[in-house]
Amino acid sequence: MGSILCSEDDQLSPSPEGESVTFANCYEDDTRAQAYATLEFKNTYHLAYRDIPAILGEHVSGSKSLDFGCGTGRSTRFLRQLGFEVTGVDIAEDMIRKAQQLDPSGDYRLIRSDDVPGDDLSAFQSGTYDLILAAFTFDNIAGKNNDNKVRILRDLCRLLNREGKLVLIVSRPEIYTHDWASFSTKDFPENQLAKSGDKVRIIVTDHADPRPVEDILWTDESYREVFEEARLRLLGKYEPLARGDEPYSWVTEVEIAPWAVYVLESA
C-alpha cells in the first residue's frame, strides 16, 4: 500500500541462512507508479508521517539513512527534508524511474539481484546507517510463517551502525476492515476473516488508479514474534490517531489507528 518490496507468490526469493536476501518484482507497473507519484501526506497518510519527526528526534542519532522500499520517493524526500542524508532503494524499476524524475538530485537505487548480479542489499556496507526506514514495506512481504520477514530484518540490521535504529511503518489489521479518508475496503468483506499471513485487499482513494492493492495482513503479536526471532529489541510502538483538528474529513481515524510505527534496534 505504498511499499514496493513484495514476496512470493512472486515476491521474495528466500536465501540460505547467512546470505543476503534477494528480491523479485511484483510492482513493475508504470500505471501504478504514475498513481503513487501523486500521493502526498494528506488524509489517512497524514497520520503515518505526522509523528515521525518527533519519533526520530527521540530515538535516532546521526543523519545517514536508508529508505527501504522507497517507491516513487515520497518517504525519501520526507527524510531529506528532516535533515537526513538518505538513499532510497526499491525493486520496482518503474517506481525508481519515477522517483528520479521527481527528484533528479536524489539518490535512488534499484535492487534486483534476481537478474542484476550484485545489485541487492549485499552491495551496501555493513554498519553504515543511523536509520533505516521501511514505510509500508512489510505490508507486502508474504508467507504465513516468519521466515521471509526475519531474513529481511536480519539483512537490514547488518546495515545499521551500533547506535542505528530501524523504523517500520505498517498497516494495522483494522485498516483492512474499515473505510478511511484514503482507503476503501467495503468491497472486500472477506478481509474480516483474514489472519496473519493472509492476503487482504484495499483500494487507495487518494490517487487515480482504482485497482485494489493486495497486502499481507500481519498482527502485532506476529510482528513481535518476528522481532524476537530477528534478534531485535523493540524500543517503542506508536499508533497515531487523528486529533480531530486536522484539515481532513476523517472517517474512522479518530477512533481507530490505521497505522503502527515500530522503533527497533539490534538486541
Side-chain angles (χ1 to χ4, degrees), residues 163-238:
E163 302 298 324
K165 302 298 186 293
L166 175 61
V167 176
L168 309 185
I169 305 174
V170 304
S171 297
R172 297 182 69 236
E174 289 83 354
I175 201 170
Y176 303 107
T177 56
H178 296 78
D179 276 359
W180 311 85
S182 294
F183 307 102
S184 174
T185 65
K186 64 180 184 298
D187 293 332
F188 314 113
E190 64 275 12
N191 288 356
Q192 300 281 346
L193 302 176
K195 298 178 174 59
S196 272
D198 290 344
K199 289 183 180 180
V200 284
R201 292 186 292 171
I202 190 167
I203 293 174
V204 182
T205 57
D206 279 351
H207 61 47
D209 187 348
R211 294 173 297 172
V213 174
E214 274 195 354
D215 284 347
I216 305 298
L217 185 140
W218 208 254
T219 65
D220 177 69
E221 180 181 9
S222 295
Y223 270 115
R224 288 173 187 265
E225 291 175 358
V226 167
F227 299 154
E228 184 174 356
E229 290 185 40
R231 297 188 290 274
L232 287 166
R233 180 183 297 113
L234 180 61
L235 301 177
K237 180 190 178 188
Y238 305 85

